[in-house]
Amino acid sequence: MSASASTEDRIPGPHTKELLPDEFLRALYQFHGSALLQFAARRLEGDWHRAEDVLQEVAIRAWRHAGELDPTADSARPWLFTVLRNLVIDGHRARQARPPETGDPELAHLPVSDDVDHILTSQVLVEAMRDLRPPQREVLLHVHYLGRSVNQTARVLGVPPGTVKSRTYYAARALREALHSRGLRANGSDRDAG
């Protein structure tokens, strides 16, 4: 092998056939992607998400030089690794120049409620209420949902207050069991266990 041949192997040159952008990028990832990604992850202290972002930027910059770069050649690697290394260094410098973000560290770990959790819990509760007998369901709706007292509920339903108390007790117990069978527990704990 002559000296000029070994120099040509190290310097990216124009490729013989023009590749479409998606073909160029596919070839780049196929031939160099895993090596570049691993290198980036090491330089970024194991942050694979940032490493993937940097790799995408390297791919974009390589694509801009598609006329000069053959994505299937080993001769492209030094250029690709240099671009990647420079991007990592630039990112590190940018983070160092930016003032650190401040805030209450305790707030960062507070759970945030979302509507999905509330909707799912409501659906489970509605299904569990369907398991109750109609008189039990009715008394729970009056006492807990409508906020009526035992005497008010007794007047509306036309039953003695003792019956309302009894139905409320047994309905609450049946509802707790129905929720427990669906995996939902009061306040995250199972008070009936043991």
Side-chain angles (χ1 to χ4, degrees), residues 1-11 75:
M1 178 180 274
S2 68
S4 64
S6 64
T7 304
E8 288 175 7
D9 287 343
R10 287 184 279 124
I11 299 172
S75 59

Side-chain angles (χ1 to χ4, degrees), residues 11-174:
I11 299 172
H15 37 87
T16 56
K17 99 176 187 183
E18 288 296 316
L19 295 174
L20 295 173
D22 59 333
E23 293 171 337
F24 179 88
L25 292 173
R26 191 175 304 119
L28 180 80
Y29 275 96
Q30 180 182 356
F31 285 93
H32 308 290
S34 63
L36 290 167
L37 184 61
Q38 289 175 8
F39 180 74
R42 281 194 307 270
R43 300 287 291 195
L44 295 167
E45 299 172 356
D47 188 342
W48 287 93
H49 295 289
R50 279 186 33 220
E52 290 172 348
D53 291 343
V54 171
L55 177 59
Q56 286 179 0
E57 182 61 30
V58 169
I60 290 169
R61 291 185 183 197
W63 176 70
R64 288 181 187 152
H65 293 86
E68 308 155 13
L69 207 62
D70 182 357
T72 62
D74 286 338
S75 59
R77 279 210 177 182
W79 186 88
L80 294 169
F81 277 95
T82 300
V83 170
L84 188 142
R85 181 181 159 275
N86 290 341
L87 286 171
V88 170
I89 290 170
D90 290 347
H92 178 72
R93 286 179 181 158
R95 281 189 304 283
Q96 295 300 323
R98 185 174 141 195
E101 295 179 6
T102 60
D104 190 354
E106 292 178 17
L107 292 178
H109 300 291
L110 285 177
V112 178
S113 64
D114 60 359
D115 291 336
V116 174
D117 186 42
H118 178 70
I119 291 168
L120 291 175
T121 303
S122 297
Q123 285 179 335
V124 171
L125 181 61
V126 168
E127 289 175 13
M129 288 287 286
R130 288 184 184 136
D131 288 353
L132 302 179
R133 293 191 335 253
Q136 291 176 330
R137 190 172 33 240
E138 186 178 41
V139 77
L140 283 181
L141 290 173
H142 283 279
V143 172
H144 292 289
Y145 183 72
L146 298 174
R148 293 188 172 139
S149 69
V150 171
N151 289 333
Q152 290 171 331
T153 303
R155 273 194 301 275
V156 169
L157 297 179
V159 296
T163 302
V164 171
K165 287 180 185 178
S166 176
R167 283 183 189 170
T168 303
Y169 171 78
Y170 288 109
R173 192 170 86 178

